[in-house]
Amino acid sequence: MVAVNLAVLAWMLITSVREHREIFATPFDWPGFAWGNYAEAWQSADFGVAAANSLILVATAAVAVVIVAAPAGYALGRSVERAAASLTLYFALGIGVPVQVIVIPLFVLMERLSLVNNLFGLFLLYVAVSLPFTVFLLTGYFASLPGELEEAAAIDGASRLRTFWTIMLPLARSGLITAFTLNAIGLWNEAFLALVFVQSTDKQTLPLALLGFLAKQQYSGADYGVLFAGVAILVLPMLLLYVWLGRRIIEGMTLGAGK
């Protein structure tokens, strides 16, 4: 499966720098290095504004999710009360609720709040739908940290808040980076909520701009080199982020599964 995925990724990148005629004449040949495909895709699809919208939304939403979920994960992971287990299960159940099931009541609510076709409204939705998974992930991570450090801090007179902020939070850095990266990748590729709640072209995210570009290409005659360049523009940023932080992601996932 890894080999197949790498082969598809390599073929996509190679095809993105080939001319349209070359792709159909020799689909698996070496690239012709038509770097102009990327410039044409960027300009034709107005990727500049969409990329800025996606970057701002994803960065702020991923950070906000981690900021909100970290105290919740710490409280649930370190608590010995029975209610903590029930609350953790409640968040776990939230992971299994598809967004498509709740999109109609969400739309009604956001419309009443005048947050439809609003980037701040989309930001709130991104944070809300990402919280269950992030809280569940960080709960397991905080539960795997040694309790002796908390006991030593309590003996020294540190409050729970100070213990969390100065001791436990730095220890959970790998888990926080994992949560941030996984949320960033998921939100960067998110298209359904943006498609439902965003109506103006100047507020589109990158996946929506790519969908519009694909539709435009289908009606005007598809240039597959430019199409693959557009797909590569969407895929490459998160791929590079994962390559950069991949070791910390695996470390955070495995340590969080300790308990």
Side-chain angles (χ1 to χ4, degrees):
M1 290 185 67
V2 172
V4 170
N5 280 278
L6 290 176
V8 171
L9 177 63
W11 185 71
M12 179 197 72
L13 295 177
I14 291 173
T15 306
S16 69
V17 290
R18 300 186 67 197
E19 296 291 345
H20 179 73
R21 294 180 180 178
E22 294 179 355
I23 296 172
F24 284 92
T26 53
F28 301 104
D29 200 359
W30 290 104
F33 299 106
W35 299 107
N37 289 344
Y38 283 86
E40 185 176 347
W42 186 272
Q43 294 173 1
S44 300
D46 293 328
F47 277 163
V49 175
N53 290 338
S54 285
L55 184 61
I56 294 172
L57 272 174
V58 170
T60 54
V63 170
V65 168
V66 173
I67 290 175
V68 174
Y74 171 70
L76 294 175
R78 308 305 300 183
S79 177
V80 295
E81 301 292 334
R82 292 184 178 180
S86 300
L87 288 174
T88 303
L89 179 61
Y90 177 77
F91 279 103
L93 291 175
I95 301 174
V97 178
V99 179
Q100 293 84 350
V101 174
I102 59 175
V103 69
I104 294 178
L106 272 180
F107 189 88
V108 173
L109 174 64
M110 299 298 282
E111 189 177 29
R112 289 178 179 176
L113 296 175
S114 300
L115 292 176
V116 175
N117 198 31
N118 187 302
L119 290 179
F120 179 69
L122 191 59
F123 161 80
L124 293 178
L125 290 174
Y126 280 176
V127 173
V129 299
S130 302
L131 272 176
F133 167 76
T134 310
V135 171
F136 186 72
L137 174 68
L138 293 181
T139 297
Y141 194 89
F142 279 111
S144 67
L145 297 179
E148 291 80 3
L149 296 175
E150 276 186 310
E151 296 173 0
I155 292 174
D156 291 338
S159 64
R160 292 296 297 272
L161 180 60
R162 185 178 179 184
T163 301
F164 165 71
W165 183 255
T166 61
I167 298 176
M168 307 304 285
L169 198 61
L171 288 176
R173 183 172 56 183
S174 294
L176 299 177
I177 292 175
T178 298
F180 171 82
T181 308
L182 293 178
N183 279 306
I185 293 174
L187 295 177
W188 182 267
N189 297 317
E190 199 284 322
F192 179 73
L193 287 175
L195 185 64
V196 173
F197 290 94
V198 173
Q199 299 161 356
S200 301
T201 305
D202 61 330
K203 297 176 183 177
Q204 286 185 341
T205 59
L206 203 52
L208 286 189
L210 180 60
L211 288 175
F213 179 57
L214 293 175
K216 185 189 300 183
Q217 286 284 316
Q218 288 176 350
Y219 283 107
S220 61
D223 185 333
Y224 281 89
V226 178
L227 281 175
F228 277 98
V231 175
I233 290 173
L234 179 64
V235 171
L236 284 177
M238 291 301 105
L239 179 64
L240 295 176
L241 178 65
Y242 189 86
V243 171
W244 179 37
L245 299 175
R247 183 179 61 82
R248 289 191 176 274
I249 294 174
I250 300 302
E251 180 182 345
M253 293 292 287
T254 53
L255 288 178
K259 287 192 177 182

